[in-house]
Amino acid sequence: MAALTPRAVFVTRETDYELLIARHATRGQARFFLESRGQELDAVEARHARFHAVLAEARAAVPGAWRQALVRRGDLDRFLFAADDVVVAVGQDGLIANVAKYLGAQPVIGVNPAPDLYDGVLARNPVERLARLLPASAAGAAGIERRTMVEAVIDGAERLFALNEIFVGHRSHQSARYRIEAGADSEEQSSSGLIVASGTGATGWARSIAEATRLDLPLAPDERAVGYWVREPFPSLTTATRLRAGRLTDAPLVVTSRMNEGGVVFADGIEQDFLGFGWGRQVRIAPADRALHLVIG
């Protein structure tokens, strides 16, 4: 039987225009909603048209013999990726974080549809490069940046992967109670939760915490290390604040819940996609065995 040709899997998310139409049912209703608040639909509609023009150009760059698939961000947990897929994320950097947790070693090409609007730290390629990058990626000839990911394992069974960070705390971000163990050190804590971030995530949420607390941890995106930061730890008769930040390489961070309700663990800011973290449950967080294979040229 002949071998299957490579498949380009395009990953997108809804545009602001599409979300407005979904909420208000018609273009006219969406226009009325915005104009009644002193805003205009035209600019939103223009960004929508620009995005779909870039997506069409990207899909036209796929070699004629290849197969193609298109998947929206909300359907990623139901999509079956194949080992020989080449994944093309067309959108902002966060879209690459969204898809990374569902992949193994598949190469990921980030295409920035609006370089004047989006930073493109991960989605760094203009669409014009795609015709060259697709065959090079399938042949293993493209430059690859292996970005470390974070893995959380709850009670030795349930797992979450993140490109940026894992959050442990209360779902409402109110006081979370837990026991934290980092190497030989441990203590009971009450805080606004904690995050464990990779070198990629260290430039986002973790960076804001590090700057506010002056607890900076140097982390390169490709080194097998992650960092943890505790948000607003509160000292009391039964809780301490010594373990506020640190690097993790070989030994995991171990957190045991002391919350009867509301405890959660979630990845990359997707709060609705959480694992329950009730009293007595234990999560072990460390650098993951898998990494994001980001195509850089």
Side-chain angles (χ1 to χ4, degrees), residues 249-297:
T249 52
D250 298 324
L253 187 74
V254 182
V255 185
T256 305
S257 176
R258 299 290 188 254
M259 293 173 280
N260 282 312
E261 55 82 27
V264 295
V265 180
F266 61 77
D268 287 335
I270 309 297
E271 298 189 29
Q272 63 271 27
D273 185 16
F274 67 87
L275 297 178
F277 194 54
W279 183 283
R281 301 203 77 185
Q282 188 175 86
V283 60
R284 303 172 71 87
I285 313 173
D289 289 334
R290 68 174 67 172
L292 168 68
H293 289 64
L294 185 67
V295 175
I296 58 174

Side-chain angles (χ1 to χ4, degrees), residues 19-268:
L19 292 172
L20 278 169
I21 298 301
R23 184 178 307 135
H24 299 288
T26 68
R27 179 178 179 277
Q29 290 281 15
R31 178 181 290 278
F32 174 79
F33 173 80
L34 291 180
E35 289 181 349
S36 66
R37 290 158 175 78
Q39 303 170 53
E40 295 183 357
L41 182 63
D42 293 348
V44 180
E45 203 167 17
R47 290 197 301 271
H48 167 81
R50 179 183 180 186
F51 170 81
H52 279 281
V54 171
L55 179 61
E57 185 177 351
R59 300 195 70 173
V62 178
W66 284 34
R67 296 166 295 140
Q68 292 191 35
L70 177 66
V71 57
R72 288 287 183 94
R73 182 179 66 168
D75 298 323
L76 285 170
D77 60 342
R78 297 184 294 275
F79 187 82
L80 184 61
F81 288 95
D84 58 352
D85 285 340
V86 177
V87 180
V88 184
V90 184
Q92 299 181 49
D93 291 330
L95 189 61
I96 295 178
N98 296 151
V99 72
K101 68 189 71 176
Y102 300 103
L103 302 176
Q106 295 94 332
V108 179
I109 305 171
V111 173
N112 189 342
D116 56 326
L117 297 177
Y118 308 139
D119 291 339
V121 175
L122 300 177
R124 62 183 64 169
N125 296 292
V127 68
E128 293 80 12
R129 291 185 189 167
L130 203 53
R132 176 174 54 86
L133 288 177
L134 281 167
S137 299
I144 295 290
E145 189 174 86
R146 288 175 53 88
R147 289 192 168 235
T148 298
M149 298 180 66
V150 192
E151 180 182 21
V153 183
I154 298 184
D155 293 339
E158 296 179 286
R159 295 174 184 270
L160 274 180
F161 291 93
L163 178 61
N164 289 322
E165 72 278 311
I166 297 284
F167 171 82
V168 181
H170 195 280
R171 63 172 173 247
S172 67
H173 296 269
Q174 67 185 43
S175 181
R177 298 179 67 90
Y178 52 85
R179 180 174 182 79
I180 182 173
E181 301 174 43
D185 293 328
S186 64
E187 64 186 24
E188 298 289 329
Q189 285 191 347
S190 176
S191 74
S192 299
L194 62 90
I195 68 169
V196 181
S198 67
T200 300
T203 63
W205 191 4
R207 179 181 177 183
S208 67
I209 300 173
E211 290 182 350
T213 59
R214 298 183 181 178
L215 296 170
D216 191 26
L217 299 173
L219 289 170
D222 58 348
E223 69 174 309
R224 186 172 165 74
V226 297
Y228 75 89
W229 287 266
V230 178
R231 303 167 65 212
E232 303 168 315
F234 179 77
S236 71
L237 291 175
T238 58
T239 59
T241 62
R242 290 184 303 105
L243 301 179
R244 301 179 64 190
R247 283 170 57 92
L248 307 169
T249 52
D250 298 324
L253 187 74
V254 182
V255 185
T256 305
S257 176
R258 299 290 188 254
M259 293 173 280
N260 282 312
E261 55 82 27
V264 295
V265 180
F266 61 77
D268 287 335

